[in-house]
Amino acid sequence: MAPPIDVTALTASLIACDSVTPAGSAVFDVLENALLPLGFSVERFVVGTAPDGPVENLLAVRGGGSGGGAGQHFAFAGHLDVVPPGTGWTGNPFEPEVRGGLLYGRGAVDMKGAIAAFVGAVARIPADAGTISMIITGDEEGPATHGTVALIERMAARGICPDLCLVGEPTSVDRLGDMIKIGRRGSVNIWIDVPGKQGHVAYPHLADNPIRRLVALVAEINAIVLDQGNDWFQPSNIEVTDLTVGNPATNVIPAKASARLSIRFNDQQRGDALVERITALATAHAPGAVVTARISGEAFLTLPGMFSSLIANAIARHTGHQPSLSTTGGTSDARFLSKICPVVEFGLVNATMHKLDEAVAIDDLALLTDIYADIISQALQPASS
């Protein structure tokens, strides 16, 4: 087996790299240097151009199996990019600091700590135990156009297909291991531009006010009940996130009015169908309306079964409690990975993610490493056992 990994030190080294989306090469250097002594073959590549790129990605594989009948292949997926730190930190967000049993720094829990814990866990697993891969992107917090999607394409080109995939997002709420994610709702953003005809407010018959039609459209959209949810998902919801006219004059009827919607939807809905429904309503209220949509991902569900039980039982062995199975929260890159194999998300406590003074408990890093090692060991057992 490989030499043990100091998980706290590795987390600190990753934090010390300013890797606001899209993450640059320095943080990938740290991870690659940690993986090479463990026997991983590491491939790094850059994809895309502005505005969504370029994005750096890393694919690391140890063992000869490709999955799909070539032996058990267990994958870990995550991201090294972080959200901007903002102002008001007690210290420097990219100068990791230990205070009171906590390691502070941007990315400590989302999700550099989990990546370090997985590396520490792999160091305990014999190299001949099975195939292990790490699917790591530098663009999860951003557009995610050239991140995990590009990694999946690269894996397909190389004939690499995991049997199971664990995503290290910070899913725990109050204590480590109290929640794992077995699915996520889908997400679509929709922009609606309603044209009108500019004119003087004293001569409305010579103009065409688009605000009236947009307000009526938004009212109808607000009245929509998409569904009531189901056993694993909360109800889908449509939220109006912006209304814009941009008219500085008090005596001018504007030439255009715009709205933006965000829809989070469960597995009873499909993104393209939702876009079609909104487009039809917009056209009915304003025949010249222009509707633009971006589907970030479809809803997915890994039904409770072998994989979720394997993870839940590992958590229970080390913490003494069973986690709840959830589909709450925003989107993650698990939405892409769910198309190639069963996916479950499990990671650190999320109380400080994206916040000032983000921090991870050092004890949690050690405990997560123990749990990850247990999960890997169990997941690499032959499927028939």
Side-chain angles (χ1 to χ4, degrees):
M1 253 180 287
I5 299 289
D6 185 333
V7 173
T8 301
L10 179 55
T11 303
S13 295
L14 294 170
I15 290 171
C17 301
D18 182 341
S19 59
V20 173
T21 309
S25 61
V27 71
F28 285 95
D29 291 342
V30 173
L31 180 58
E32 180 177 12
N33 290 336
L35 291 174
L36 289 176
L38 302 182
F40 279 88
S41 171
V42 178
E43 178 186 7
R44 290 164 59 176
F45 58 97
V46 177
V47 183
T49 58
D52 292 351
V55 172
E56 184 161 0
N57 299 298
L58 179 149
L59 175 62
V61 181
R62 189 180 81 175
S66 61
Q72 289 295 101
H73 177 172
F74 183 74
F76 177 89
H79 62 92
L80 284 170
D81 62 310
V82 298
V83 296
T87 59
W89 283 66
T90 301
N92 186 321
F94 297 110
E95 292 181 3
E97 182 181 358
V98 175
R99 300 194 306 271
L102 300 175
L103 174 62
Y104 287 83
R106 174 55 86 220
V109 297
D110 191 14
M111 55 175 288
K112 294 178 177 181
I115 289 175
F118 190 80
V119 175
V122 172
R124 304 179 188 178
I125 306 299
D128 61 356
T131 302
I132 300 172
S133 61
M134 293 192 70
I135 306 165
I136 308 297
T137 182
D139 180 22
E140 191 272 347
E141 301 289 5
T145 304
H146 304 297
T148 298
V149 172
L151 279 158
I152 292 172
E153 291 173 352
R154 184 62 61 96
M155 291 163 61
R158 291 179 52 183
I160 297 172
C161 183
D163 297 294
L164 303 169
C165 182
L166 173 67
V167 179
E169 288 290 342
T171 60
S172 303
V173 181
D174 297 314
R175 60 182 180 182
L176 182 66
D178 61 0
M179 179 179 289
I180 64 177
K181 305 279 188 178
I182 61 170
R184 297 273 188 163
R185 293 197 296 171
S187 173
V188 58
N189 290 305
I190 301 176
W191 292 262
I192 305 171
D193 295 317
V194 175
K197 183 178 180 181
Q198 183 174 309
H200 196 294
V201 296
Y203 302 93
H205 59 289
L206 300 178
D208 180 14
N209 195 332
I211 297 176
R212 292 195 183 100
R213 292 193 298 279
L214 182 62
V215 169
L217 170 61
V218 168
E220 184 168 354
I221 290 171
N222 278 334
I224 294 174
V225 177
L226 290 172
D227 54 65
Q228 300 297 326
N230 55 38
D231 289 344
W232 290 108
F233 286 97
Q234 66 196 84
S236 303
N237 63 296
I238 306 176
E239 301 299 332
V240 179
T241 57
D242 187 41
L243 288 172
T244 302
V245 177
N247 180 12
T250 59
N251 60 348
V252 174
I253 292 171
K256 186 179 75 171
S258 303
R260 185 181 66 224
L261 313 177
S262 182
I263 309 177
R264 297 301 171 100
F265 56 94
N266 58 39
D267 59 354
Q268 299 177 65
Q269 312 291 336
R270 295 287 301 176
D272 55 357
L274 291 169
V275 173
E276 289 177 7
R277 183 171 181 179
I278 296 299
T279 300
L281 289 176
T283 300
H285 283 274
V290 176
V291 178
T292 307
R294 181 166 186 168
I295 301 172
S296 300
E298 300 291 342
F300 76 92
L301 177 67
T302 299
L303 286 169
M306 179 277 293
F307 191 24
S308 57
S309 295
L310 183 154
I311 293 174
N313 291 338
I315 291 171
R317 281 191 289 272
H318 293 271
T319 67
H321 57 81
Q322 284 278 339
S324 62
L325 308 183
S326 174
T327 62
T328 58
T331 59
S332 76
D333 277 3
R335 67 190 188 273
F336 305 124
L337 295 157
S338 66
K339 298 176 183 178
I340 62 173
C341 69
V343 176
V344 173
E345 301 175 60
F346 164 54
L348 293 161
V349 176
N350 58 29
T352 61
M353 68 175 181
H354 292 203
K355 295 184 179 181
L356 299 180
D357 290 343
E358 180 180 352
V360 60
I362 292 174
D363 287 347
D364 279 358
L365 285 175
L367 180 56
L368 184 63
T369 303
D370 292 341
I371 298 172
Y372 278 172
D374 193 343
I375 292 170
I376 299 168
S377 179
Q378 297 299 315
L380 292 178
Q381 295 297 317
S384 59
S385 66

